[in-house]
Amino acid sequence: MRLIFFGPPGVGKGTQAERLADRVGVPHISTGAIFRAAMQAETPLGNEVKGFYDRGALVPDELTTAIVVEALADDAQKNGFILDGYPRNLSQAEALDAALAARQESIDRVIYLTAPDEEITKRMMARGRADDTEEVIANRLDIYREETTPVLEHYRSAGFVSEIDGVGELDDVAARVYDGATESAPS
Ligand code: AMP
């Protein structure tokens, strides 16, 4: 199972991707979580991404893609993976497709989690992460609309996007996500 979790910041991708990864037994790769761990440990990567992260800007593609390609090269990914927070623009999507094609692989499905704007802003304010201030949230939502949504169209044209309502009890959303992820592939 090779999946991308897609959706606006704050929609619950991290939580749901983690749950699905546990349930189906494939690794969960979150670029945001990799960056947070690196910043916490003050590694060279962490120091490099901090300025971008703190203002809600995208970390440069080359750096981000190199991290994902390295994670995918790990043996643990051979039965699949769940990508969360990547790709975030068309250039990352193309880089990902190329990296997978080089191994005769491709994405099976995109899980697109949705929620109304008021709901995701409310959730981000409640979560209280360092990059969850009003100003930074607004920036991240702008970037999502302008740079990230074209990624959805990129995969939609191949016909394998499952749109899932992200509003409701965690367990109910998780059940919908599981159904979407295991729906038979379009022929
Ligand atoms: P997230 O945890 O997915 O909300 O990501 C938090 C922050 O990490 C983003 O606002 C970006 O600064 C950075 N980030 C995460 N994933 C990416 C990516 N695919 N490309 C560029 N920056 C990213």
Side-chain angles (χ1 to χ4, degrees):
M1 179 184 281
R2 297 185 189 91
L3 291 184
I4 293 171
F5 262 61
F6 189 90
V11 77
K13 295 188 294 294
T15 307
Q16 292 297 339
E18 189 71 59
R19 286 182 63 144
L20 183 67
D22 282 350
R23 183 162 175 189
V24 300
V26 299
H28 169 211
I29 306 170
S30 157
T31 43
I34 291 171
F35 294 147
R36 279 186 287 282
M39 288 188 296
Q40 178 86 30
E42 297 182 20
T43 64
L45 172 68
N47 297 334
E48 206 170 336
V49 304
K50 190 171 176 8
F52 299 101
Y53 184 100
D54 284 349
R55 60 176 198 276
L58 292 186
V59 171
D61 291 341
E62 269 174 50
L63 189 57
T64 310
T65 294
I67 283 163
V68 171
V69 168
E70 190 187 312
L72 293 178
D74 194 308
D75 240 19
Q77 327 287 343
K78 63 181 183 305
N79 295 324
F81 51 80
I82 296 176
L83 275 173
D84 157 18
Y86 184 94
R88 252 189 170 81
N89 60 27
L90 273 181
S91 127
Q92 293 181 5
E94 283 158 10
L96 174 65
D97 290 350
L100 292 174
R103 313 189 322 197
Q104 277 86 50
E105 291 174 0
S106 60
I107 292 297
D108 297 320
R109 188 165 290 276
V110 175
I111 300 293
Y112 173 32
L113 271 181
T114 63
D117 274 7
E118 316 81 72
E119 177 73 22
I120 60 180
T121 306
K122 203 169 79 191
R123 288 186 193 183
M124 280 191 276
M125 295 305 288
R127 144 179 112 164
R129 227 166 66 182
D131 58 336
D132 285 340
T133 62
E134 212 161 317
E135 196 188 330
V136 177
I137 288 174
N139 195 25
R140 283 158 58 212
L141 284 172
D142 281 350
I143 291 179
Y144 172 74
R145 285 193 198 98
E146 283 161 31
E147 295 193 45
T148 309
T149 51
V151 171
L152 191 62
E153 300 318 314
H154 171 81
Y155 289 108
R156 243 200 243 287
S157 61
F160 45 62
V161 174
S162 294
E163 191 165 331
I164 312 283
D165 180 4
V167 180
E169 294 296 324
L170 277 186
D171 287 350
D172 296 338
V173 177
R176 292 198 284 272
V177 165
Y178 180 81
D179 289 347
T182 52
E183 230 173 81
S184 59
S187 50

